[in-house]
Amino acid sequence: MIALKNISKVFTPGKHTITAVDNVNLTVEQGQIYGIIGYSGAGKSTLIRLLNGLEKPSAGSVTINGQVISQAKGESLRQARLKISMVFQHFNLLWSRTVSENIAFSMQIAGAPKAKIKTRVAELIELVGLTGRENAYPSQLSGGQKQRVGIARALANRPDVLLCDEATSALDPQTTDQILDLLLDINRRFQLTIVLITHEMHVVRKICDRVAVMESGRVVEEGDVLTVFTHPQQPITRQFVRQVSQYAEDDAFNPLLASELGGTVMKLTFTGHSTHQPVVGELTLRYGLPFNILHGKMTQTAHGVFGELWLHVAATEEQLHNILADLGRSGIEGEVVQHG
């Protein structure tokens, strides 16, 4: 659906050279919600402008639905952009137009018949939950309502791809969740491919299928959301995961606090159905050992739950070996953090 091959973008303001995107390779499948996350200056906003042809790459190619967007020009590029819509952080609504008129605007630009525009606008107002607000102006709307108008406008020409550039960053947490639920519903109902640019891991956790982590113009980590959350490889990814888990580094479990107990401290990592298993009870019955729960947390993603559990137990080397083997057979990753 979307393929970025060896994409780089270099800016040369004055005598300086700035590499905003550095040799990025990504593939987004049809119907996926794909998150691109990074802090300010990571290159993610430049990347999204490469996707819709607002920027041309210095090297590499951008292909969407078989068309090489990075080489398209003139009318060819204009037609391609009709199928690649954008939702913006600050809404970008026309303040002198009503809700209906804002939604209709992109169809008018595309030359759609008036009757078709009227029907489509009515459909979209109902879809995004703005029934009764058709004649309101942006100044009369809440932030969440403005973003709903932005989403409806972006969907007007039935795009193949929806690009969301920090689409929830200007919203409060409750409204953010409502907008994310709307995007997820649209994705599932129409199999619309969505690419989300964000600096909030909560957004990725809630609705994305896959995620790419950007730092200094490069993709430093990429994979399905559940894997990235449970096994983050890069320091920046671990920082984002702590952010969404609402655990600051200082608040996370410190195994040194259990050192005075002696014995062994184990960290168990659960994913999917394994989160529902009565693990501690089964281990206690099987080995006749008292397992003390020291710390635990669970996080929901769009594709399942993952969790961590820290246990303390006084066990022999042989027992520990068998316990870890039993956990592995149950689909639970076990790690000995402290052994004494």
Side-chain angles (χ1 to χ4, degrees):
M1 175 51 165
I2 301 175
L4 280 69
K5 294 185 178 179
N6 305 118
I7 283 290
S8 293
K9 179 62 180 180
V10 178
F11 295 99
T12 54
K15 298 180 179 179
H16 302 286
T17 298
I18 300 173
T19 302
V21 177
D22 188 3
N23 196 35
V24 167
N25 291 276
L26 288 178
T27 300
V28 181
E29 301 295 338
Q30 170 69 39
Q32 276 187 338
I33 302 181
Y34 196 103
I36 300 175
I37 190 167
Y39 291 117
S40 178
K44 57 190 188 298
S45 292
T46 300
L47 188 64
I48 205 170
R49 290 171 64 84
L50 291 166
L51 288 176
N52 60 13
L54 289 175
E55 295 282 358
K56 294 292 184 183
S58 303
S61 63
V62 178
T63 304
I64 299 180
N65 262 353
Q67 182 175 5
V68 183
I69 300 297
S70 51
Q71 295 179 1
K73 298 178 180 179
E75 181 63 17
S76 175
L77 180 58
R78 192 182 77 83
Q79 290 299 320
R81 282 179 179 160
L82 289 176
K83 293 298 181 180
I84 308 170
S85 285
M86 190 97 157
V87 179
F88 303 92
Q89 177 180 359
H90 296 296
F91 321 127
N92 286 17
L93 302 180
L94 298 170
W95 291 84
S96 61
R97 290 176 177 248
T98 64
V99 167
S100 293
E101 290 167 345
N102 265 282
I103 297 171
F105 185 68
S106 61
M107 296 187 72
Q108 293 168 345
I109 294 297
K114 288 184 178 180
K116 183 178 179 181
I117 292 175
K118 184 178 180 180
T119 300
R120 181 62 173 158
V121 168
E123 292 174 353
L124 290 168
I125 284 175
E126 181 178 1
L127 175 67
V128 301
L130 288 174
T131 302
R133 304 296 283 162
E134 298 91 334
N135 299 315
Y137 288 89
S139 62
Q140 300 170 311
L141 302 177
S142 67
Q145 289 172 330
K146 291 173 188 173
Q147 197 56 286
R148 289 174 186 271
V149 177
I151 292 170
R153 179 186 56 190
L155 296 175
N157 286 309
R158 303 183 188 276
D160 297 322
V161 177
L162 184 64
L163 306 177
C164 299
D165 188 5
E166 300 280 9
T168 60
S169 295
L171 305 175
D172 62 77
Q174 182 177 358
T175 306
T176 290
D177 281 344
Q178 292 170 355
I179 294 299
L180 293 177
D181 286 339
L182 174 60
L183 289 172
L184 186 59
D185 178 61
I186 290 168
N187 165 260
R188 290 176 174 173
R189 190 180 301 193
F190 305 113
Q191 279 298 291
L192 179 65
T193 304
I194 299 176
V195 178
L196 283 165
I197 300 294
T198 184
H199 66 273
E200 300 172 298
M201 201 63 162
H202 167 72
V203 172
V204 172
R205 174 191 66 83
K206 189 170 177 66
I207 68 170
C208 291
D209 301 304
R210 294 184 71 84
V211 59
V213 182
M214 289 193 72
E215 185 176 27
S216 301
R218 301 183 68 88
V219 171
V220 296
E221 192 160 350
E222 195 271 346
D224 68 85
V225 170
L226 200 54
T227 299
V228 170
F229 265 81
T230 52
H231 298 91
Q233 301 299 308
Q234 300 297 321
I236 188 172
T237 311
R238 290 192 285 271
Q239 190 172 341
F240 277 125
V241 169
R242 284 196 298 270
Q243 172 195 102
V244 78
S245 300
Q246 295 182 344
Y247 279 85
E249 187 171 3
D250 291 341
D251 295 330
F253 175 70
N254 183 355
L256 294 177
L257 298 177
S259 60
E260 61 188 44
L261 299 174
T264 297
V265 175
M266 303 173 62
K267 176 186 175 184
L268 278 55
T269 302
F270 306 75
T271 57
H273 295 297
S274 66
T275 57
H276 302 294
Q277 297 182 41
V279 176
V280 178
E282 289 180 353
L283 291 175
T284 300
L285 290 173
R286 186 171 303 164
Y287 292 96
L289 297 171
F291 288 83
N292 299 318
I293 299 175
L294 303 176
H295 182 76
K297 60 181 179 180
M298 294 181 66
T299 303
Q300 179 73 46
T301 74
H303 290 275
V305 177
F306 75 90
E308 294 178 352
L309 187 65
W310 300 73
L311 302 176
H312 170 263
V313 64
T316 65
E317 290 282 357
E318 183 179 358
Q319 287 173 324
L320 281 177
H321 176 79
N322 292 334
I323 289 169
L324 292 173
D326 285 343
L327 289 170
R329 283 189 287 270
S330 299
I332 299 168
E333 181 180 332
E335 174 188 359
V336 175
V337 177
Q338 172 185 302
H339 184 50

